[in-house]
Amino acid sequence: MVLDAPGTPLRAADLPAPDLRGGQIRIRVHACGVCRTDLHVRDGELPDPKLPLVLGHQIVGTVLEGDRFPPGTRVGVPWLGWTCGECRYCLSGRENLCDRALFTGYTLDGGYAEEAVADARYCFPLPAERSDVEIAPLLCAGLIGYRALRLAGDAPRLGLYGFGASAHIVAQLARRDGRTVYAFTRPGDEAAQSLALELGATWAGAVGERPEELDAAIIFAPAGELVPEALGAIAKGGTVVCAGIHMSDIPSFPYELLWGERVVRSVANLTRRDGEELLARVGEDPVRTEVQVFPLEAAEEALAQLRAGRIRGAAVLAV
Ligand SMILES: [Zn+2]
Ligand SMILES: [Zn+2]
């Protein structure tokens, strides 16, 4: 499924199989998660995508040929597709910030396809348990959520703003840590609120409500007005983590909301270490993913439903 230009529908196309370069693997794609970032690229909210582009950066497939993995190995391909390995960020364990990084389904072709090619060093071998469609959302929703949770610090009372693909995984990880989870959704989004409660949230309700003081908040919804809202909900010393790649402008707010050593920070991309840690963690004790499965050729429909807020959990393309 090809994006020719931002703001236009994806179209089915037969593309020539890309040549395999050194260090790469060719993958038979079985499933690919649909991420809000795909929607931002599709809608032209992120600058300078490769064009034409195959979207998709939560690829689950089996290796056909190439480096590092024997053919038949089930692997996952995440958003971070390549880094330079030599800049100050790469050399200090922060490859997620590499200036020259390339991203799957954005500046590299991704997984809304029958086959994909990826740099083997950035792919993860996947645990054998669970189906392709169930594991796909871990590769971005799970990974970015895991990184956001880590950067939220040791907060016993955690607020999640926007309860979609990422939050529904983070809620389970946070509960295992013994944290109390509060899920904030759009007013009246009963599907998301009921899912949050099923997955262990102590409370689920509308943004703007204040059930309890929070120690940290993670904002998954791309709405800048949630930053002052979440700052107003957290205790002194708490952190508000903005987990999305794109957000509308943050309105100005009184300094009093930030005072008391409150912190606002973003989370950018992921490192390979994040992936290894999360997959080890869920390999021992699987998290449940709630998925809505679409066939590959319905990618545009999956994106439309995500845009409209009608996905409960995560959308995944089955290939
Ligand atoms: Zn670098
Ligand atoms: Zn993503």
Side-chain angles (χ1 to χ4, degrees):
M1 296 299 294
V2 176
L3 177 69
D4 292 307
T8 64
L10 307 188
R11 72 179 166 87
D14 280 316
L15 303 179
D19 293 332
L20 208 59
R21 293 198 304 271
Q24 291 184 323
I25 48 175
R26 188 184 308 282
I27 298 158
R28 166 77 60 206
V29 179
H30 299 308
C32 187
V34 176
C35 177
R36 184 165 289 280
T37 299
D38 303 340
L39 188 55
H40 293 314
V41 176
R42 151 71 178 77
D43 289 347
E45 291 168 324
L46 293 181
D48 306 322
K50 170 193 176 292
L51 289 172
L53 173 68
V54 179
L55 286 168
H57 56 268
Q58 306 183 84
I59 306 172
V60 178
T62 43
V63 175
L64 295 170
E65 58 170 328
D67 269 30
R68 188 181 167 196
F69 302 104
T73 308
R74 188 166 76 147
V75 294
V77 185
W79 169 246
L80 187 73
W82 184 87
T83 56
C84 78
E86 56 195 27
C87 72
R88 53 203 287 265
Y89 300 110
C90 284
L91 293 174
S92 58
R94 297 179 293 164
E95 62 184 1
N96 59 310
L97 302 179
C98 175
D99 284 328
R100 292 164 59 201
L102 296 174
F103 300 104
T104 312
Y106 180 35
T107 50
L108 299 166
D109 280 328
Y112 288 16
E114 292 167 330
E115 276 188 20
V117 159
D119 187 315
R121 295 170 301 164
Y122 296 84
C123 300
F124 304 110
L126 295 175
E129 302 77 30
R130 288 179 306 162
S131 68
D132 299 319
V133 293
E134 287 172 311
I135 208 163
L138 292 179
L139 290 163
C140 183
L143 274 175
I144 300 291
Y146 173 71
R147 185 170 179 86
L149 181 62
R150 191 151 59 73
L151 296 180
D154 185 17
R157 298 168 300 179
L158 179 71
L160 303 177
Y161 285 77
F163 202 87
S166 206
H168 95 290
I169 296 169
V170 169
Q172 297 173 69
L173 299 174
R175 286 292 300 130
R176 285 180 194 178
D177 294 342
R179 305 172 195 242
T180 310
V181 173
Y182 299 84
F184 298 84
T185 73
R186 297 184 229 213
D189 190 348
E190 280 160 25
Q193 290 173 12
S194 66
L195 180 60
L197 295 171
E198 275 171 41
L199 296 176
T202 293
W203 177 92
V207 165
E209 294 180 42
R210 296 280 169 83
E212 172 90 70
E213 187 177 58
L214 306 172
D215 299 301
I218 305 175
I219 300 177
F220 294 107
E225 66 269 22
L226 291 175
V227 172
E229 170 63 27
L231 274 172
I234 61 170
K236 288 182 282 191
T239 299
V240 172
V241 181
C242 303
I245 192 170
H246 171 80
M247 186 178 249
S248 58
D249 286 354
I250 300 169
S252 76
F253 53 85
Y255 180 54
E256 187 190 346
L257 285 178
L258 189 62
W259 175 248
E261 301 195 341
R262 291 175 179 87
V263 174
V264 178
R265 69 171 302 160
S266 63
V267 160
N269 314 316
L270 70 140
T271 64
R272 283 172 280 184
R273 198 186 123 205
D274 295 325
E276 285 151 14
E277 285 180 9
L278 176 68
L279 289 168
R281 216 172 137 169
V282 301
E284 288 161 14
D285 190 4
V287 298
R288 174 185 147 195
T289 52
E290 177 89 8
V291 292
Q292 248 172 273
V293 180
F294 297 81
L296 173 61
E297 53 280 15
E300 184 64 24
E301 172 61 19
L303 288 167
Q305 294 209 18
L306 183 60
R307 189 188 293 107
R310 286 202 298 267
I311 302 290
R312 189 175 193 259
V316 177
L317 303 178
V319 181

